[in-house]
Amino acid sequence: DDGEVSALHFAEPELDIRYADDGNEKLESMTITGFTAKTDLVNSSYDPQTQTIEEFAKWRGLGDASSTGLWSFRQGKFRLVHYTVDPTYDGEHNGEVILDYETAP
């Protein structure tokens, strides 16, 4: 409203990912160890009706290992409300929801 421009920062979970094999195809465990903030989103889109930004980040070209984040504009800031991760390099899309503040319990 005051005409100032400032950079946006998007919260993102930091993960400790452990695999049961050397090929990173079988997940042993995935734990959130903290949060960080980033200024760049990849493959992102903005929905003006819901005031949300969604990102789909491929960890490699196939897109089988990836993460998806959803940030909702609330009280003047974009807040992370949903985050899904598929950490396996198995050729399939099988993401796990690791954060969900969007859906009621």
Side-chain angles (χ1 to χ4, degrees), residues 61-102:
L62 295 176
D64 56 345
S66 61
S67 57
T68 304
L70 182 70
W71 293 264
S72 181
F73 192 72
R74 297 180 182 166
Q75 300 171 343
K77 297 178 183 177
F78 280 99
R79 301 175 190 277
L80 180 62
V81 294
H82 196 87
Y83 204 81
T84 303
V85 175
D86 178 358
T88 56
Y89 296 82
D90 59 3
E92 298 179 21
H93 298 279
N94 44 7
E96 286 185 37
V97 175
I98 61 167
L99 185 137
D100 185 2
Y101 297 128
E102 181 181 41

Side-chain angles (χ1 to χ4, degrees), residues 6-28:
S6 60
L8 296 176
H9 294 84
F10 298 92
E12 180 178 55
E14 290 182 331
L15 302 171
D16 178 20
I17 300 171
R18 305 210 177 194
Y19 298 95
D21 63 341
D22 290 335
N24 298 345
E25 292 182 9
K26 186 172 181 186
L27 180 66
E28 183 176 299

Side-chain angles (χ1 to χ4, degrees), residues 26-87:
K26 186 172 181 186
L27 180 66
E28 183 176 299
S29 66
M30 181 169 46
T31 306
I32 296 175
T33 59
F35 287 84
T36 187
K38 61 184 182 176
T39 56
D40 297 322
L41 299 177
V42 295
N43 300 318
S44 60
S45 61
Y46 176 70
D47 183 342
Q49 279 191 310
T50 60
Q51 294 187 315
T52 57
I53 294 177
E54 186 171 14
E55 173 192 48
F56 174 61
K58 295 179 182 182
W59 296 7
R60 69 176 183 172
L62 295 176
D64 56 345
S66 61
S67 57
T68 304
L70 182 70
W71 293 264
S72 181
F73 192 72
R74 297 180 182 166
Q75 300 171 343
K77 297 178 183 177
F78 280 99
R79 301 175 190 277
L80 180 62
V81 294
H82 196 87
Y83 204 81
T84 303
V85 175
D86 178 358

